[in-house]
């Protein structure tokens, strides 16, 4: 790890001003950034500590939305009464990720900003990595890619985004609030993450001088049933091969609305509105769930080591929907 300067910001605006320095980065829990600094993937000249800015509360807005400050730890978010009662799929997703010790340190904002866990990206000893060095190539394409994407595999990078929280937030149509030198803006979660096309080194649409201040969960339009399913090689502390966040609302025994988001299959949480549309107006049957699962994986183009992921993802969608429907 190279030496760096450490600065502690006292206000959000001061943090934004500090991070404008060359090579400066925001620092919160550090659960991902410090790992990347130790291996030499990240080499910031300045760390701006944003851990004491008062962004560590979960509140209920006047409109009925639940607002989670970006400095709230993953543990606090998962166990908060508002999250557990109104958005259980989010609580389930957070608790399925990492260890208790890491969840106690990691923050909501940092979780959204974390980088891929692709081994070729994590180890600078591999020269070919378009995410680290655009234009250098992708070692995973003809290397070990069992855990990589099955969608958008024609792009310069085939790594997947590792966040469980992001998949659940995608199914809930969350808003990400950020502040920068130009003021505040709200980014729909569906527009927050980007595919690695023109700029494979970019993971999201947040500017380097913008700070995530909160995540807003829209008001519940009615009772919902949700489930987060994470399929991995081992139960403890492993990233998802495939994950599914399923949220259903019913009118009697008929599905009134549906949201299905997949993780572990692309560089961003993957949501297919066409699959959700197939569920609306139908009863919760295996036939309906299988049709939705087939539509959710339509367009998948796995490389040789990942063909199993398509079948695994389809079965996972069916299982998550079945569990969600059962309440």
């Amino acid at each position: 790890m190279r030496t760096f300067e450490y600065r502690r910001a006292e206000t959000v605006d001061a943090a934004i001003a500090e991070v404008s320095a060359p090579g400066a980065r925001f620092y919160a829990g550090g659960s991902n950034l410090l790992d990347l600094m130790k291996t030499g993937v990240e080499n910031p000249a300045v760390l701006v500590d944003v851990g004491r800015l008062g962004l560590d509360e979960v509140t209920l807005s006047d409109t009925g939305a639940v607002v989670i400050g970006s400095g709230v730890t993953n543990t606090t978010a998962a166990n908060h009464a508002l999250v557990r009662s109104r958005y259980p799929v989010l609580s389930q997703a957070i608790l399925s990720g990492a260890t208790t010790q890491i969840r106690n340190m990691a923050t909501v904002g940092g979780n959204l900003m974390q980088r891929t866990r692709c081994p070729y990206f994590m180890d600078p000893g591999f020269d070919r990595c378009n995410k680290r060095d655009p234009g250098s190539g992708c070692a995973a394409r003809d290397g070990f890619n069992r855990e990589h994407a099955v969608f958008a595999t024609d792009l310069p990078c085939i790594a997947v985004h590792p966040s469980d929280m992001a998949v659940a937030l995608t199914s809930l149509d969350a808003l990400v609030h950020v502040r920068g030198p130009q003021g505040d803006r709200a980014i729909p979660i569906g527009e927050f993450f980007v595919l690695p096309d023109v700029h494979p080194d970019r993971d999201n649409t947040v500017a380097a001088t913008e700070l995530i201040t909160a995540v807003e969960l829209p008001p519940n339009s009615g009772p919902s049933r949700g489930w987060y399913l994470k399929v991995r090689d081992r139960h403890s502390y492993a990233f998802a091969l495939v994950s599914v966040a399923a949220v259903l609302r019913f009118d009697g025994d008929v599905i009134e609305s549906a949201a299905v988001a997949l993780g572990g299959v692309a560089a961003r949480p993957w949501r297919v509105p066409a699959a959700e549309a197939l569920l609306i107006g139908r009863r919760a049957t295996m036939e309906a769930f299988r049709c939705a699962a087939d539509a959710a994986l339509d367009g998948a183009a796995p490389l040789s080591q990942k063909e199993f992921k398509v079948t695994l993802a389809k079965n996972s969608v069916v299982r998550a929907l079945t569990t969600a429907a059962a309440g």
Side-chain angles (χ1 to χ4, degrees):
M1 181 187 292
R2 297 180 183 175
T3 58
F4 57 89
E5 183 180 349
Y6 172 83
R7 302 176 186 174
R8 178 180 294 172
E10 300 297 333
T11 66
V12 172
D13 289 337
I16 294 168
E18 292 277 12
V19 87
S20 63
R25 294 285 304 276
F26 290 124
Y27 170 83
S31 55
N32 180 219
L33 179 58
L34 287 181
D35 284 343
L36 296 177
M37 290 171 64
K38 291 174 184 176
T39 60
V41 174
E42 297 275 7
N43 294 292
V46 180
L47 287 186
V48 180
D49 190 336
V50 295
R52 295 169 175 82
L53 303 182
L55 304 175
D56 54 355
E57 295 184 357
V58 181
T59 58
L60 186 63
S61 75
D62 294 339
T63 63
V66 172
V67 181
I68 306 174
S70 61
V72 172
T73 67
N74 288 5
T75 294
T76 299
N79 293 310
H80 197 280
L82 285 172
V83 175
R84 290 176 64 89
S85 61
R86 299 183 180 218
Y87 312 95
V89 69
L90 177 58
S91 179
Q92 295 159 5
I94 296 172
L95 293 174
S96 73
T99 63
T100 302
Q101 294 88 341
I102 290 177
R103 291 198 300 268
N104 288 344
M105 290 296 297
T107 63
V108 168
N111 187 294
L112 293 178
M113 295 296 290
Q114 66 180 301
R115 309 300 305 276
T116 181
R117 285 342 192 256
C118 170
Y120 299 104
F121 168 75
M122 297 287 287
D123 186 352
F126 292 101
D127 294 330
R128 292 189 299 144
C129 177
N130 284 323
K131 187 162 286 294
R132 272 190 289 107
D133 183 15
S136 63
C138 176
R141 188 167 296 279
D142 54 6
F144 179 76
N145 56 52
R146 176 178 177 270
E147 301 174 357
H148 288 62
V150 297
F151 288 106
T153 54
D154 58 333
L155 297 182
C157 173
I158 58 171
V160 299
H161 195 275
S163 173
D164 294 291
M165 178 189 294
V167 179
L169 291 176
T170 298
S171 73
L172 296 170
D173 293 317
L175 279 176
V176 182
H177 293 271
V178 303
R179 183 182 299 176
Q182 306 305 316
D184 298 319
R185 66 187 181 112
I187 309 171
I189 192 69
E191 300 172 11
F192 183 86
F193 299 103
V194 296
L195 291 175
D197 44 18
V198 179
H199 300 287
D201 53 323
R202 294 206 62 180
D203 301 309
N204 52 63
T205 56
V206 179
T209 53
E210 288 184 315
L211 175 67
I212 298 176
T213 56
V215 173
E216 179 182 342
L217 303 175
N220 292 110
S221 59
S224 64
R225 308 176 193 176
W227 190 256
Y228 186 77
L229 173 66
K230 182 176 183 178
V231 183
R232 43 192 162 175
D233 284 324
R234 63 181 188 276
H235 181 70
S236 178
Y237 194 28
F239 295 101
L241 287 171
V242 170
S243 64
V244 182
V247 180
L248 300 173
R249 287 187 173 83
F250 285 83
D251 180 8
D253 61 352
V254 174
I255 299 171
E256 184 178 51
S257 67
V260 181
L262 281 76
V265 297
R268 57 174 174 79
W270 199 258
R271 190 166 169 181
V272 184
E276 299 168 350
L278 290 174
L279 294 168
I280 298 173
R282 301 183 67 175
R283 289 181 171 81
T285 65
M286 291 298 291
E287 179 186 0
F289 295 161
R290 290 192 182 105
C291 287
D294 287 341
L297 273 297
D298 186 38
L303 301 182
S304 61
Q305 297 173 21
K306 301 179 294 184
E307 293 176 354
F308 77 99
K309 271 188 139 184
V310 176
T311 301
L312 180 63
K314 289 182 179 180
N315 291 338
S316 297
V317 169
V318 172
R319 182 179 167 191
L321 287 169
T322 301
T323 307

